[in-house]
Amino acid sequence: KGIGCVVIDYRIYPEVKIEGELEDILKALQWTTENIATYGGNPDRLILAGHSAGGHMSGLLGLDQSYYTQAKIDPKKIKGYILMSPILDLVHMEKNNTTDFNNTTTYAVFGKEQDILTKYSPKTYFKKEMPPLFIMYGEKDFPYLLEQNKAAIEQMKGFGFSPQVLEIATYTHEDMVLWATCRSSLKE
């Protein structure tokens, strides 16, 4: 159907913190823009997608395009962003989770400083002009993600930007990443 897919991976904590994760994604995007034509793809028509933490980083790269400048990637090659159950507000995530979650996830990956949590929150970069965003989440996703995604969507609308949004009935956080695989398997 004329759609290709490059599945990338990135190092995670404890090997690296957020900076290393973003570095890996940017290296994969560099490789993709330089090599995808060899596989029949168009390096000028890319979509960056991710689930959960991947959705967080996809959103961050799309909304704070200074990362592309540092990596020498033309942001115009990325035509849109698909954020599945994304983390959009790290300050909200910290306030709405347990001490154990914050110690093993939030603080481990980002640290405790509020200015750093704000810096790495995609919502910090909302403005009137944003790239195309498609935000998806499950009706039964993690409560803090549902709350922050719905608030973020309203905040974007306040800037005059309307992302494409899809809430999938009955889906959990895990279903959001599994459903496409399951559906395609059923068709075969």
Side-chain angles (χ1 to χ4, degrees), residues 15-164:
E15 188 176 352
V16 296
K17 291 189 172 217
I18 183 64
E19 298 86 358
E21 294 174 352
L22 289 167
E23 179 184 312
D24 291 352
I25 292 169
L26 289 165
K27 283 181 182 176
L29 280 173
Q30 280 177 319
W31 182 92
T32 302
T33 59
E34 293 168 4
N35 295 284
I36 199 65
T38 305
Y39 299 92
N42 184 340
D44 296 319
R45 295 184 47 83
L46 303 175
I47 303 288
L48 186 59
H51 173 258
S52 196
H56 163 255
M57 289 183 283
S58 296
L60 186 61
L61 292 173
L63 296 168
D64 180 6
Q65 296 192 346
S66 67
Y67 290 102
Y68 293 131
T69 304
Q70 295 167 16
K72 297 182 174 83
I73 296 171
D74 181 359
K76 292 179 184 142
K77 292 181 179 286
I78 316 296
K79 299 301 182 194
Y81 299 83
I82 300 171
L83 315 179
M84 296 177 282
S85 299
I87 302 157
L88 298 173
D89 185 347
L90 293 168
V91 174
H92 178 274
M93 182 176 83
E94 175 200 30
K95 289 179 181 169
N96 288 278
N97 274 292
T98 65
T99 301
D100 185 53
F101 177 91
N102 284 323
N103 286 334
T104 60
T105 304
T106 311
Y107 304 146
V109 176
F110 302 97
K112 293 183 178 183
E113 297 80 23
Q114 294 297 297
D115 59 327
I116 297 297
L117 296 178
T118 300
K119 174 185 174 182
Y120 288 111
S121 292
K123 78 170 242 157
T124 300
Y125 306 97
F126 291 171
K127 57 189 177 222
K128 185 175 183 170
E129 298 296 322
M130 292 190 275
L133 298 175
F134 180 26
I135 301 172
M136 303 179 350
Y137 51 83
E139 175 189 34
K140 296 181 179 183
D141 215 311
F142 296 138
Y144 79 92
L145 283 180
L146 285 172
E147 189 176 308
Q148 68 174 247
N149 273 257
K150 290 177 181 183
I153 290 161
E154 290 307 310
Q155 185 181 358
M156 286 182 216
K157 288 178 182 176
F159 282 105
F161 179 82
S162 292
Q164 295 292 312

Side-chain angles (χ1 to χ4, degrees), residues 174-187:
E174 294 78 13
D175 292 334
M176 292 304 297
V177 75
L178 297 174
W179 72 278
T181 305
C182 294
R183 285 176 123 180
S184 64
S185 296
L186 292 173
K187 291 179 184 177

Side-chain angles (χ1 to χ4, degrees), residues 1-16:
K1 297 190 180 193
I3 298 172
C5 182
V6 177
V7 178
I8 64 172
D9 198 3
Y10 54 89
R11 295 169 293 160
I12 59 173
Y13 179 83
E15 188 176 352
V16 296

